[in-house]
Amino acid sequence: MPKDAYDAIILGAGAAGLMCAAVAGQRGRRVLLVDHADEAGKKILISGGGRCNFTNLHSAPDRYLSANKHFAKSALGRYTAQDFIGLVDRHRIAWHEKTLGQLFCDGSARQIVAMLLDECTAGSVDLMLGHPIADVAHDGTGYRVAFGDRQARAPALVLATGGPSIPKMGATGFAYDVARRFGLKIVEPRPALVPLTLGADDLLFRELSGVAAPVVASAGKTRFREAALFTHRGLSGPAILQISSYWRHGDAIAIDFVPDAAPDWLVTAKRTAPRTTLRRTLAGALPDRLAETLADRLSLPGELGAQTDRRLADAGRSLAAWSFTPNGSEGYAKAEVTSGGIATADLSSQTMAARRMPGLYAIGEAVDVTGWLGGYNFQWAWASGWAAGQAL
């Protein structure tokens, strides 16, 4: 085989690209893995506070968003969280479980990148870092990729360059441009797992910057119970990041500030402690600053005993479904992932191959499959990369 000829060229040395290259290489394929970044796995390195939340024990297709909710089933079913844990264990990387099935390295995210690079070495993968892609073309017999002052060709090309989230790390919509060139459709990309911003109507809540509380955040029928964090621009924290993937501009989100309270809990509080105030009652369940702000907004001055049952019941309902209408999000700069991307209708769920463009594959975040917060997106990267690597 000529020096510049490969069985497959993979664009993007992130989680999905590294997995795909390692799997294909170890199956005897001659693989070239190219990335414009000077280091492999940059998003892996910053994930999980530097400890990489590398998968989730509860990974299942219903925890992923896509225009085709069934698309992820095949790959996730054939390469599971337990399969990746097995790989981590074989490389003797110590790990631990945090809340909600999230798995992290005991040490550093660098261990995961080193593991994947070792797997690529075992598959004799040619890795080219710091090489921006100048051109991608199909000459009728295969794909030609120009990078730096070099060219390479292969009958198979894998798009693994992710989406535009976290542009300061070099993330772009490159995969979408290449996909469009070869006739694939794109589901409109948007920031996901992203803090939401509030307008002037909710200015009072923006002044609670730094206050966090356990809540239930809802958008439509979707609900997440985790912490919410007030910021100087709006709302963040795990509950908000999760719900942001389901939120659409102009829609309201609802926050239940007292998820464990009975519907008539304030009426009951009036019976048991009529001399106390709403603010003091709320302070028993919420951080002081938040309790004060909510009590001011509800405008029930004086003692609980002076309030009618109806007004207290109304206040309880407000606390259980406080409506915010974000005026936007903090965008790709703060988004952990990109929702949307290369349309799954144009891809095989078994192999990640394009249906109408021979030899073209798309994997990972570049595809219209977006997981929940907490290791789900890494599991999609591993599973989709493995599926394509098995097919190359």
Side-chain angles (χ1 to χ4, degrees), residues 240-322:
I240 302 303
L241 298 184
Q242 292 279 39
I243 212 66
S244 73
S245 297
Y246 295 81
W247 174 76
R248 293 293 185 274
H249 195 80
D251 291 348
I253 61 169
I255 303 291
D256 184 349
F257 286 112
V258 285
D260 292 320
D264 58 351
W265 74 287
L266 287 178
V267 176
T268 302
K270 171 185 170 179
R271 303 275 189 271
T272 57
R275 303 293 299 275
T276 196
T277 63
L278 178 60
R279 178 179 169 182
R280 283 165 60 189
T281 303
L282 293 180
L286 297 166
D288 285 346
R289 286 169 61 198
L290 179 57
E292 180 180 0
T293 299
L294 290 172
D296 287 345
R297 280 290 183 101
L298 289 167
S299 191
L300 293 178
E303 299 174 349
L304 292 184
Q307 313 299 331
T308 66
D309 286 0
R310 180 173 179 177
R311 290 195 72 189
L312 290 173
D314 287 345
R317 282 190 288 271
S318 293
L319 290 166
W322 203 287

Side-chain angles (χ1 to χ4, degrees), residues 98-179:
K98 283 194 176 179
T99 57
L100 305 173
Q102 302 170 37
L103 303 190
F104 291 78
C105 298
D106 285 0
S108 165
R110 291 194 174 276
Q111 295 172 283
I112 298 296
V113 175
M115 174 191 79
L116 293 166
L117 289 172
D118 286 347
E119 290 289 312
C120 284
T121 298
S124 301
V125 173
D126 283 355
L127 178 60
M128 296 290 176
L129 297 174
H131 288 81
I133 307 299
D135 188 44
V136 179
H138 192 279
D139 62 9
T141 60
Y143 296 89
R144 288 188 174 275
V145 177
F147 55 98
D149 58 355
R150 296 187 53 182
Q151 280 201 0
R153 54 193 176 88
L157 177 72
V158 183
L159 302 178
T161 56
S165 60
I166 319 183
K168 70 180 181 182
M169 302 199 68
T172 70
F174 177 81
Y176 310 152
D177 297 337
V178 177

Side-chain angles (χ1 to χ4, degrees), residues 319-334:
L319 290 166
W322 203 287
S323 181
F324 294 90
T325 301
N327 63 1
S329 76
E330 294 201 24
Y332 289 121
K334 296 292 179 69

Side-chain angles (χ1 to χ4, degrees), residues 184-195:
L184 276 64
K185 294 183 176 64
I186 305 297
V187 174
E188 183 180 3
R190 58 189 185 84
L193 300 182
V194 64

